[in-house]
């Protein structure tokens, strides 16, 4: 199985259709896409911190959702109207003051629905800090 969009094509699509994700400067970096997968990095930045100096839950949620969305796009092509219908998060460990990496895997990619999981790690660590699952609605082909 191969992807429909290469890494540079997926990055270009995301930058064009979702410029708000990096509005205050580049922070989300799509590092790889593959069959039913994507890897995305979130830079450590003060705007993503919560009291106590750790990465906030909303920042982790955005990273997981964005990585899953990138995996879907790379595999179905440039379908901007694919939308999140459900997300579930388990916050497992408090990440330190560092960036995060999301490894997204699609468990099912159908014609109308995609289901996947994202595993978030602190940069340079193998300790899982967050596990997320998501379901996405894919619009019918026109």
């Amino acid at each position: 199985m191969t992807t429909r969009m290469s890494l540079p094509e997926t990055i270009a699509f995301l930058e064009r259709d979702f410029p708000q994700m990096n509005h205050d400067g580049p922070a989300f970096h799509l590092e790889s896409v593959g069959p039913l997968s994507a890897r995305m990095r979130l830079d450590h930045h003060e705007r993503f911190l919560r009291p106590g100096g750790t990465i906030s839950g909303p920042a982790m949620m955005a990273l997981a959702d964005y990585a899953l969305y990138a995996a879907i796009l790379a595999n179905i092509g440039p379908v901007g109207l694919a939308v999140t219908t459900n997300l579930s998060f388990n916050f497992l460990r408090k990440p330190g003051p560092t960036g995060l990496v999301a490894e997204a895997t699609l468990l099912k990619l159908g014609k109308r629905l995609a289901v996947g999981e994202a595993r978030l790690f602190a940069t340079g660590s193998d300790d899982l800090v967050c596990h997320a699952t998501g379901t996405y609605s894919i619009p019918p082909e026109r």
Side-chain angles (χ1 to χ4, degrees):
M1 179 177 198
T2 61
T3 60
R4 285 199 174 175
M5 291 171 51
S6 67
L7 178 61
E9 290 169 329
T10 307
I11 291 170
F13 179 86
L14 292 173
E15 287 176 352
R16 184 185 67 243
D17 283 32
F18 297 95
Q20 67 273 19
M21 294 304 290
N22 288 305
H23 174 71
D24 291 330
F28 293 88
H29 307 277
L30 186 59
E31 295 183 336
S32 67
V33 295
L36 303 178
S37 67
R39 179 182 170 98
M40 185 175 283
R41 179 175 42 86
L42 174 64
D43 290 339
H44 177 267
H45 192 279
E46 185 175 314
R47 70 183 187 233
F48 301 123
L49 299 182
R50 65 174 301 276
T54 187
I55 304 295
S56 71
M60 288 190 263
M61 295 164 92
L63 175 61
D65 188 33
Y66 203 32
L68 284 164
Y69 189 69
I72 293 166
L73 289 177
N75 282 274
I76 67 171
V79 181
L81 294 178
V83 296
T84 310
T85 60
N86 183 62
L87 285 173
S88 177
F89 292 87
N90 294 297
F91 299 100
L92 306 171
R93 286 180 186 78
K94 179 175 120 173
T98 185
L100 296 177
V101 173
E103 295 178 354
T105 304
L106 301 180
L107 305 172
K108 176 189 188 296
L109 182 59
K111 289 184 180 198
R112 296 298 311 267
L113 285 179
V115 177
E117 68 174 354
R119 296 168 313 284
L120 278 60
F121 302 89
T123 303
S125 174
D126 291 332
D127 293 334
L128 189 63
V129 298
C130 179
H131 179 260
T133 58
T135 304
Y136 298 78
S137 177
I138 301 167
E141 293 183 40
R142 295 180 186 223

